[in-house]
Amino acid sequence: MEPRILQVRTKILKANDTLARQMRASFLSQGIFVSNWVSSPGSGKTLWLERTLGRMIQRGLNVAAIVGDLETDRDAQRLRRSGASVRQIMTHGLCHLEAEMVQRHWNHWELGPIDHLFIENVGNLVCPTSWDLGESLRVGMLSVTEGEDKPLKYPGLFNTCDVVLLTKMDLAEACEFDLSSAVTNLQTVRPGIEVFETSGKTLAGLDPWIDWLEARRKVILG
Amino acid sequence: MHELSIANEIFKILQAHAPQGNAIAIGIRLGAWSCVGEQSLQNSFRWVTDQTPFCNVRLDIERIEEVWICKTCQQSFDQSKQSESDPQNCPWCGEKLELLDGLSEMSVEWIELLDQQGT
Ligand SMILES: Nc1nc2c(ncn2[C@@H]2O[C@H](COP(=O)(O)OP(=O)(O)OP(=O)(O)O)[C@@H](O)[C@H]2O)c(=O)[nH]1
Ligand SMILES: [Mg+2]
């Protein structure tokens, strides 16, 4: 018996990456712009998504959402108040969504034409980092109550985001949130990243955000 | 515990390349920002290979360190060489440092196989 080294050089998550690439191509060919929302638990994904869905429906856009949580369908129920079609994925312990989970739900969903499909990932600043869900945009969120240093402490996740929403800006003063340091920290881990200031309570930042998303969708879909 | 999902994918790659179960070790590379806990991955790997022909396969983990570059000085710095008080700027000229890519890499690099002689 002789040992020998077999060079493999393959990505560990190649199976997920390949499926996600196929899903992205299929979504885009159907005119669907998919975004994957990641942040720590409780930073305001569901509230801001509910606001985003509601305003998009008012503007005549067709929208749907998939939301991942370890347990309960509470977020799906909240998001349905906007009038959008929503699916809940319960991961039963898994700390992130994977492409195959999204595909399974998508394949069994009778929907008309959709402009935006939103995926709210499981609240976690670590685990969702490496799983591509077939999205065209990764949206990160950082609430003012978490502190400005989170991008530096969790660079992996913030580095994969295309845009970051600073949420709960209505609480910024009470938290002595240092906006410019938060932006500098985000720029350090992801140079050039777009940053929006938002509040799900006062709706500050909602229209500029939706205008930006729509512009982005049009650029990507050509 | 996303390390369990990652261990599972490593196991599938191992099975595909060593269907006869003749592997001794597998070498992987993890970027500094891959968000993977080494010990947790080792434990998960032991768990997924348990009671399989791969239960004794060694998981070799190579970490790719965070490397920052200063475009002005044409110098690269790892984390330990950066100034603690001013970690985002070049310790030589003070210009802003930029991160080198590849930080989120996660790959299987090699598998050590035990071949029957002459095969
Ligand atoms: N003051 C204030 N509270 C907010 C804002 N956005 C969300 N909240 C509150 O913060 C709490 C968590 O908000 P969620 O929208 O459930 O957060 P999430 O990120 O979806 O949480 P998980 O799905 O559990 O990860 C709720 O009590 C919200 O009402 C905001 O802009 N301002
Ligand atoms: Mg939520």
Side-chain angles (χ1 to χ4, degrees):
Chain A
M1 302 282 253
E2 280 200 357
R4 84 181 153 95
I5 297 288
L6 177 70
Q7 294 297 334
V8 176
R9 294 236 61 176
T10 185
K11 285 189 168 182
I12 294 176
L13 297 184
K14 188 175 175 191
N16 184 85
D17 288 350
T18 306
L19 175 60
R21 250 197 316 275
Q22 289 164 0
M23 286 162 63
R24 185 161 30 253
S26 158
F27 285 132
L28 291 174
S29 73
Q30 297 170 70
I32 304 170
F33 186 72
V34 180
S35 55
N36 173 9
W37 293 31
V38 291
S39 80
S40 62
S43 61
K45 295 181 292 301
T46 305
L47 185 59
W48 191 249
L49 185 50
E50 186 186 339
R51 305 297 192 215
T52 301
L53 292 167
R55 185 59 57 90
M56 283 195 160
I57 290 170
Q58 280 175 2
R59 290 195 190 184
L61 290 159
N62 296 308
V63 292
I66 294 177
V67 51
D69 279 296
L70 272 71
E71 301 295 341
T72 84
D73 67 345
R74 296 170 73 97
D75 279 5
Q77 289 181 34
R78 287 169 60 194
L79 293 173
R80 283 189 194 114
R81 295 191 298 220
S82 67
S85 294
V86 181
R87 283 280 181 120
Q88 176 82 46
I89 300 180
M90 269 183 254
T91 64
H92 303 297
L94 199 67
C95 48
H96 61 273
L97 294 179
E98 299 185 6
E100 183 270 331
M101 299 176 188
V102 173
Q103 189 198 38
R104 211 171 339 124
H105 277 258
W106 181 252
N107 285 348
H108 295 99
W109 204 358
E110 295 290 327
L111 281 174
I114 289 292
D115 301 310
H116 287 267
L117 173 67
F118 297 97
I119 304 172
E120 180 186 332
N121 217 311
V122 178
N124 190 309
L125 277 182
V126 180
C127 308
T129 305
S130 311
W131 276 269
D132 184 350
L133 303 182
E135 73 260 23
S136 291
L137 184 80
R138 190 172 286 199
V139 181
M141 289 192 164
L142 171 62
S143 61
V144 300
T145 53
E146 290 166 73
E148 309 80 14
D149 56 355
K150 293 303 165 291
L152 300 179
K153 289 185 175 174
Y154 299 88
L157 184 111
F158 286 103
N159 175 256
T160 64
C161 294
D162 302 298
V163 56
V164 167
L165 309 184
L166 299 174
T167 62
K168 310 194 187 180
M169 284 304 290
D170 55 296
L171 303 177
E173 212 179 306
C175 298
E176 298 182 359
F177 181 70
D178 182 347
L179 177 64
S180 81
S181 130
V183 172
T184 304
N185 294 341
L186 284 166
Q187 294 292 347
T188 299
V189 299
R190 183 71 152 99
I193 195 164
E194 292 265 358
V195 180
F196 284 85
E197 294 166 45
T198 69
S199 165
K201 294 289 176 193
T202 68
L203 304 194
L206 186 59
D207 283 312
W209 160 240
I210 289 175
D211 293 342
W212 184 87
L213 261 181
E214 267 296 274
R216 204 49 201 239
R217 176 175 74 95
K218 285 171 186 154
V219 167
I220 296 217
L221 289 171
Chain B
M1 264 298 283
H2 63 301
E3 283 83 2
L4 192 55
S5 308
I6 292 167
N8 219 13
E9 294 306 311
I10 297 171
F11 179 51
K12 285 187 208 158
I13 294 169
L14 190 55
Q15 280 177 311
H17 286 88
Q20 292 150 8
N22 56 334
I24 311 169
I26 181 163
I28 67 166
R29 266 161 73 95
L30 296 178
W33 289 3
S34 59
C35 301
V36 178
E38 279 187 36
Q39 195 52 53
S40 171
L41 184 59
Q42 290 285 4
N43 295 343
S44 302
F45 186 69
R46 288 280 66 91
W47 194 77
V48 298
T49 54
D50 189 36
Q51 296 188 28
T52 74
F54 303 97
C55 61
N56 291 320
V57 172
R58 191 179 77 246
L59 178 64
D60 245 50
I61 302 176
E62 183 194 348
R63 276 268 171 200
I64 311 165
E65 290 310 319
E66 212 172 278
V67 176
W68 298 71
I69 49 173
C70 173
K71 289 205 168 145
T72 311
C73 302
Q74 299 282 311
Q75 276 290 326
S76 64
F77 304 92
D78 66 25
Q79 233 172 353
S80 62
K81 293 204 194 95
Q82 285 163 242
S83 139
E84 277 210 357
S85 58
D86 197 8
Q88 289 153 26
N89 296 315
C90 174
W92 292 9
C93 71
E95 279 293 313
K96 198 145 183 62
L97 292 173
E98 287 182 29
L99 268 167
L100 219 59
D101 252 6
L103 294 163
S104 51
E105 178 177 338
M106 285 200 278
S107 58
V108 173
E109 292 295 303
W110 51 263
I111 296 173
E112 188 176 2
L113 298 168
L114 204 55
D115 280 342
Q116 295 282 354
Q117 231 151 22
T119 61

